[in-house]
Amino acid sequence: MGVVPLKDILDPAFAARYGVPAINIFNDLTMEAVLAGAVESRSPVILQTSVKTVRSIGSRVLFDMWQSMTRGIEVPVTLHLDHCPDRAVVTECLKAGWNSVLFDASELPVEENQRQTIEVVREARSYDAQVEGEIEAITGVEDDHGSDQVAKRQSLETALAFIDATGIDVFAPSIGNAHGSYKAAPVLDANRVTEIVEARSIPIALHGGSGLSTEQFQDLIARGCAKVNISTALKETFMQSGLAFLKQAEEAGKWDPPSLFKHTRADIITLVKELTEQFGSAGKAGH
Ligand SMILES: [Zn+2]
């Protein structure tokens, strides 16, 4: 219970084939509300920060908030750095106390990506931290990172060789998923997850989760996607909840920020509870 290594959350999820929401928080309110939602659901949860969030708030303040908000928490939680191509930021977050990092060198040739990922894994181990790796960009832009060009796929052999050589703990393949909102229902190559998991027993991270159907989530989780990333859905909930509240505030001529925060917090808790139900992680903490 409390703050645990990423492995301690993903290994049981992978073994029992449920998914754990890995949610990109971006301020104090979202951090607190996502944790509160996980506690209400009795679910493990992964909180993630983009490099943009680390830069906007600062690793020191972010980590102080995290420590303060997770003190005595009754469900397993872990702090992860999402897509980070910058080795200096990886080091900064590991030093500050993040539990895991996604070193994203998918822009580099696979050989160079692999060489550097081996170094990042070694560095992370010295902090008892874990590493997620990827060799293909996930289509779409998220927090100023990435591109809308459809990602190029590597062969299964290349993916397996990368997993073996680097010793990464979680792998994030491209399966037709994308960051941001889907314009049309995505066609996913779910079989790619099965191929990787059958060849190597490694938890898979599903990116671009916001906007997939319950059936798609459940199929991918059953195949081994134990870490299910959610970013856009929280951003939309945060903004739309705020917008709806502010419209009412304007009509009523009442401007009370704590009421706005309370309203947004409740909507975020509802979102987190829905996700944990959908992914099967609700009720999995504390057994
Ligand atoms: Zn991602």
Side-chain angles (χ1 to χ4, degrees):
M1 290 306 128
V3 180
V4 300
L6 178 70
K7 242 179 124 37
D8 291 11
I9 288 179
L10 286 189
D11 287 355
F14 183 64
R17 291 292 195 266
Y18 58 86
V20 178
I23 303 177
N24 287 63
I25 57 91
F26 40 83
N27 67 357
D28 52 348
L29 190 152
T30 51
M31 182 186 279
E32 193 278 332
V34 169
L35 291 169
V39 170
E40 282 195 29
S41 306
R42 306 288 313 152
S43 170
V45 72
I46 299 159
L47 265 64
Q48 313 194 133
T49 57
S50 68
V51 174
K52 189 180 185 180
T53 295
V54 173
R55 291 204 170 116
S56 78
I57 299 177
S59 58
R60 180 85 180 272
V61 173
L62 258 176
F63 195 74
D64 282 352
M65 284 183 347
W66 167 254
Q67 276 195 308
S68 165
M69 290 183 191
T70 56
R71 198 164 293 137
I73 195 161
E74 291 161 1
V75 297
V77 297
T78 198
L79 185 62
H80 176 81
L81 174 65
D82 199 17
H83 296 282
C84 184
D86 186 337
R87 294 280 299 272
V89 177
V90 166
T91 300
E92 179 185 337
C93 288
L94 287 172
K95 266 192 186 152
W98 265 248
N99 303 99
S100 56
V101 296
L102 165 49
F103 175 55
D104 183 349
S106 56
E107 294 289 298
L108 300 177
V110 185
E111 302 72 37
E112 177 59 14
N113 178 347
Q114 184 164 307
R115 191 188 70 74
Q116 291 202 37
T117 302
I118 290 169
E119 292 178 357
V120 170
V121 170
R122 190 179 308 138
E123 183 184 4
R125 293 293 182 257
S126 71
Y127 296 95
D128 283 325
Q130 267 102 54
V131 177
E132 178 179 336
E134 64 174 283
I135 52 174
E136 300 138 338
I138 309 289
T139 308
V141 180
E142 186 171 73
D143 278 5
D144 307 335
H145 176 83
S147 115
D148 281 325
Q149 289 234 312
V150 174
K152 180 177 166 279
R153 301 250 193 105
Q154 303 289 344
S155 68
L156 177 64
E157 290 67 33
T158 302
L160 299 180
F162 178 85
I163 292 166
D164 292 341
T166 57
I168 50 166
D169 307 279
V170 192
F171 186 59
S174 165
I175 54 165
N177 46 343
H179 288 139
S181 307
Y182 290 98
K183 285 159 199 95
V187 180
L188 299 180
D189 184 1
N191 198 43
R192 188 139 198 257
V193 174
T194 303
E195 283 177 354
I196 295 167
V197 169
E198 278 179 357
R200 300 292 183 277
S201 189
I202 184 169
I204 301 297
L206 173 61
H207 286 249
S210 303
L212 299 188
S213 69
T214 300
E215 291 69 32
Q216 284 175 316
F217 277 128
Q218 290 176 351
D219 175 49
L220 290 164
I221 289 166
R223 292 169 187 267
C225 289
K227 176 174 182 278
V228 185
N229 288 14
I230 296 292
S231 177
T232 304
L234 178 61
K235 287 177 178 158
E236 286 180 1
T237 296
F238 181 86
M239 296 297 279
Q240 289 192 359
S241 172
L243 180 63
F245 186 88
L246 288 171
K247 280 182 178 165
Q248 283 176 6
E250 187 173 40
E251 254 174 50
K254 273 183 78 177
W255 302 103
D256 178 44
S259 306
L260 167 65
F261 303 153
K262 196 176 159 195
H263 183 263
T264 308
R265 179 180 190 270
D267 284 346
I268 294 171
I269 289 174
T270 302
L271 170 70
V272 173
K273 286 166 84 169
E274 284 168 2
L275 294 172
T276 62
E277 290 291 335
Q278 214 177 12
F279 302 165
S281 65
K284 294 290 194 290
H287 291 286

